[in-house]
Amino acid sequence: MPQHLELVQSLRDAGHRLTPQRESVLAVIADSDGHLTAEEILARVRQRYPYLNKSAVYRSLDLLTELSLVNQTDLGHGRVEYELHRHPHHHHLICRHCKGVQQIDQAVMNSLHKKLEKDFGFHADLDHFAIFGTCHKCRARAAKSAKRHTH
Amino acid sequence: MPQHLELVQSLRDAGHRLTPQRESVLAVIADSDGHLTAEEILARVRQRYPYLNKSAVYRSLDLLTELSLVNQTDLGHGRVEYELHRHPHHHHLICRHCKGVQQIDQAVMNSLHKKLEKDFGFHADLDHFAIFGTCHKCRARAAKSAKRHTH
DNA sequence: GACCTTATTGCAACCAGTTGCAACAAACAT
DNA sequence: ATGTTTGTTGCAACTGGTTGCAATAAGGTC
């Protein structure tokens, strides 16, 4: 069974209706292996199904995210990026200063994930996480110019 | 020395100009102990300094965040919330289903923080983190209705 | 197949936040 | 004090995303 039909089945099993809009959005995401913005998804869907409103795209994406079929990631580019929820995941370290993005492995989160599960019964969506901070290059640069708290 | 003057000093030490706009924004945040939205900040600043544009507020907040004087948190309320960067921090577990927010202690992040520092030289802003996922109540509920992948 | 219920869509107005650019003013030098 | 430099602001237009509501259509029932 093609992947997106399997996903469509998850949708229906969860009690949601299958509309051509939703099916197209899901198919486009399943066909792509990278991140897609909502605008890209809208454009691609319209190639095969031109009757699509942007509200429907956003609403579909929110639903698919809620069902854990899709990941939403804000990499600080001013728009959210969407992709199929896959295993294993990776995460992103994003520098607030130089805007650089560095990919890191899922494994880094394993112990945190377990801890949240154990201590709080909370199932965290730690797949495809965006962590903001300062990369080692920018830290060195900042240390020079900052003479704070030395008075 | 009052707190916000100390913060003002950090601004100047980092090579930025001190404008009445920035000073007012910082003073308002330093005066409040909870989260403030940009709109609330704008309204409060205008009580003491009416000549303030919303762009200046957002630009000030971005700068203050970059200097680690302020935290920005997206708790899923549709707008970002701002507050003074304080120690020790806390974090939030936010349920995507019931939208419930649960506060957890900074300590949960300690080992992750150290690992990112050690392995990647990355200084993560893990203070005031928002972690989305599913709380234990909603997990139980979801397990019932989802018959996915059982075919 | 026709009917009914109610989830979903399209639309247009809206909201939070961003941007390009000309006008302005902090900080520094004279 | 005055002038110069250049970082910062105000403004208005814009962007990505959301919302309320009437119209539509998916999926179930007979």
Side-chain angles (χ1 to χ4, degrees):
Chain A
M1 169 146 81
Q3 182 169 34
H4 93 270
L5 290 182
E6 209 173 304
L7 300 171
V8 157
Q9 194 54 49
S10 316
L11 240 187
R12 308 184 74 157
D13 287 348
H16 300 280
R17 292 186 186 169
L18 178 62
T19 63
Q21 290 87 337
R22 282 180 181 165
E23 198 271 329
S24 313
V25 167
L26 199 36
V28 162
I29 295 180
D31 269 8
S32 156
D33 8 75
H35 304 226
L36 290 174
T37 65
E39 205 188 332
E40 286 165 341
I41 293 169
L42 183 60
R44 291 191 192 191
V45 168
R46 280 187 172 158
Q47 287 172 16
R48 53 173 98 181
Y49 181 81
Y51 315 102
L52 182 64
N53 186 271
K54 70 171 180 168
S55 313
V57 173
Y58 284 110
R59 287 193 273 230
S60 296
L61 290 169
D62 286 348
L63 176 63
L64 295 172
T65 302
E66 218 174 284
L67 295 174
S68 297
L69 303 179
V70 161
N71 287 132
Q72 299 192 14
T73 315
D74 176 4
L75 296 175
H77 297 158
R79 70 194 65 95
V80 173
E81 304 186 21
Y82 303 85
E83 66 174 350
L84 206 62
H85 180 108
R86 291 178 212 277
H87 302 266
H89 320 299
H90 59 278
H91 307 281
H92 298 96
L93 302 180
I94 303 163
C95 180
R96 284 195 201 278
H97 303 266
C98 67
K99 313 295 179 197
V101 177
Q102 183 180 4
Q103 285 205 9
I104 63 173
D105 198 82
Q106 158 63 19
V108 174
M109 292 290 178
N110 285 350
S111 77
L112 176 63
H113 192 267
K114 276 182 206 149
K115 195 172 175 58
L116 293 176
E117 194 95 53
K118 201 185 80 183
D119 294 0
F120 305 98
F122 189 85
H123 183 74
D125 293 349
L126 293 182
D127 38 272
H128 226 88
F129 222 40
I131 299 174
F132 289 83
T134 313
C135 69
H136 62 288
K137 285 177 203 155
C138 290
R139 275 187 94 178
R141 182 148 29 81
K144 274 185 221 161
S145 65
K147 293 164 284 182
R148 325 167 190 153
H149 301 304
T150 56
H151 301 261
Chain B
M1 171 146 77
Q3 183 168 34
H4 92 271
L5 291 182
E6 210 174 303
L7 300 171
V8 156
Q9 194 56 47
S10 316
L11 242 186
R12 309 184 73 157
D13 287 347
H16 300 279
R17 291 188 187 167
L18 178 63
T19 64
Q21 289 87 337
R22 282 180 181 164
E23 199 271 328
S24 312
V25 168
L26 199 36
V28 162
I29 296 179
D31 268 9
S32 158
D33 10 73
H35 303 227
L36 290 174
T37 65
E39 205 187 332
E40 287 166 341
I41 293 169
L42 183 60
R44 292 193 192 191
V45 168
R46 278 186 173 157
Q47 288 174 15
R48 51 173 102 182
Y49 182 79
Y51 314 103
L52 182 65
N53 187 271
K54 71 171 177 167
S55 313
V57 173
Y58 284 111
R59 287 192 276 230
S60 297
L61 290 169
D62 286 348
L63 176 64
L64 296 172
T65 303
E66 219 173 284
L67 296 174
S68 296
L69 303 179
V70 161
N71 287 133
Q72 299 193 12
T73 315
D74 176 3
L75 295 176
H77 296 159
R79 71 193 66 93
V80 173
E81 303 187 22
Y82 303 85
E83 66 174 350
L84 206 62
H85 179 109
R86 291 179 213 275
H87 301 266
H89 320 299
H90 59 277
H91 307 282
H92 298 96
L93 302 179
I94 303 163
C95 180
R96 285 196 201 278
H97 303 266
C98 65
K99 312 296 177 196
V101 178
Q102 183 179 5
Q103 285 205 9
I104 62 173
D105 198 83
Q106 156 63 19
V108 173
M109 292 291 178
N110 286 349
S111 76
L112 175 63
H113 193 266
K114 277 183 205 148
K115 196 172 176 57
L116 294 176
E117 194 95 53
K118 201 184 81 184
D119 294 0
F120 306 98
F122 189 86
H123 183 75
D125 293 351
L126 293 181
D127 37 272
H128 227 89
F129 223 38
I131 299 174
F132 290 82
T134 313
C135 71
H136 62 286
K137 284 177 202 154
C138 291
R139 277 188 91 179
R141 181 147 31 81
K144 274 186 220 162
S145 65
K147 294 164 282 184
R148 328 166 188 154
H149 302 302
T150 55
H151 301 261

